């Protein structure tokens, strides 16, 4: 049985209610259920965690090392600011895919830069909640 970690950062607990024109109407629970349906046939399971706190996300990244085959990570606004999360990703062997629901490149210029992308395995942006499923499929061996 393979294991993936679905990790979401600040304000993503508000999905479904939060700016639905940008982030859609699905909740994090809906997204988790879709990932489960996608990966279960391949004998993979997913654990889902969300925090609004940088340090908590860092602790979970450290703990994920050696426990998961991959992390599907939407770091929210920490994407654009957090050198500490970047260093956490660099400190572990578990591969991380950075996912954004919206196309950050079509939005404000402060969203165009990612502190994390260059230490991630890859980045999926602008494909809505489907981006999470696509990231999960990448990790299926
Ligand atoms: C989510 C956020 O919370 C923003 O801060 C990012 C990202 C974009 C998303 O599209 O999923 O800028």
């Amino acid at each position: 049985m393979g294991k993936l970690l679905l990790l979401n950062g600040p304000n993503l607990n508000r999905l479904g209610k939060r700016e639905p024109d940008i982030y859609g109407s699905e909740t994090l629970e809906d997204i988790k259920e879709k990932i489960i349906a996608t990966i279960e046939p391949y004998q993979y399971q997913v654990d889902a965690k969300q925090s609004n706190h940088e340090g908590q996300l860092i602790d979970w990244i450290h703990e994920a090392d050696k426990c998961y085959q991959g992390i599907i990570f939407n770091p929210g606004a920490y994407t654009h600011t957090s050198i500490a999360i970047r260093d956490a990703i660099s400190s572990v062997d578990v591969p991380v895919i950075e996912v954004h629901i919206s196309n950050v490149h079509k939005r404000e210029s402060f969203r165009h830069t990612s502190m994390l992308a260059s230490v991630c395995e890859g980045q999926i942006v602008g494909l809505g909640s489907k981006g999470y499923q696509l990231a999960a499929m990448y990790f299926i061996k």
Side-chain angles (χ1 to χ4, degrees):
M1 186 61 110
K3 263 173 72 173
L4 303 179
L5 177 62
L6 170 63
L7 190 57
N8 279 278
N11 299 305
L12 292 158
N13 54 314
R14 307 278 309 157
L15 278 185
K17 302 186 199 83
R18 174 193 185 199
E19 300 178 273
D21 46 319
I22 296 175
Y23 297 106
S25 56
E26 284 173 300
T27 64
L28 264 191
E29 195 53 37
D30 296 333
I31 288 168
K32 180 186 171 187
E33 289 306 319
K34 282 192 174 173
I35 292 176
I36 291 172
T38 304
I39 67 176
E40 232 172 22
Y42 302 94
Q43 275 70 55
Y44 271 73
Q45 62 184 43
V46 66
D47 291 335
K49 297 179 177 177
Q50 187 278 331
S51 178
N52 296 321
H53 305 279
E54 190 176 24
Q56 177 64 84
L57 293 164
I58 290 168
D59 287 345
W60 283 336
I61 291 166
H62 294 167
E63 288 164 18
D65 206 19
K66 317 272 185 256
C67 298
Y68 295 94
Q69 279 68 54
I71 304 178
I72 304 158
F73 187 22
N74 187 341
Y78 285 138
T79 305
H80 318 297
T81 62
S82 181
I83 295 168
I85 292 180
R86 178 196 173 92
D87 289 348
I89 294 171
S90 294
S91 81
V92 294
D93 291 327
V94 55
V96 177
I97 298 182
E98 181 186 319
V99 173
H100 298 291
I101 295 167
S102 66
N103 184 345
V104 284
H105 302 291
K106 282 188 184 169
R107 299 181 64 196
E108 302 96 326
S109 57
F110 60 80
R111 295 185 202 277
H112 297 179
T113 304
S114 170
M115 294 289 166
L116 314 179
S118 62
V119 293
C120 288
E121 183 97 355
Q123 191 192 39
I124 298 175
V125 305
L127 304 183
S129 66
K130 213 172 199 177
Y132 290 98
Q133 284 162 264
L134 294 169
M137 279 310 295
Y138 173 81
F139 287 127
I140 305 288
K141 298 289 183 232

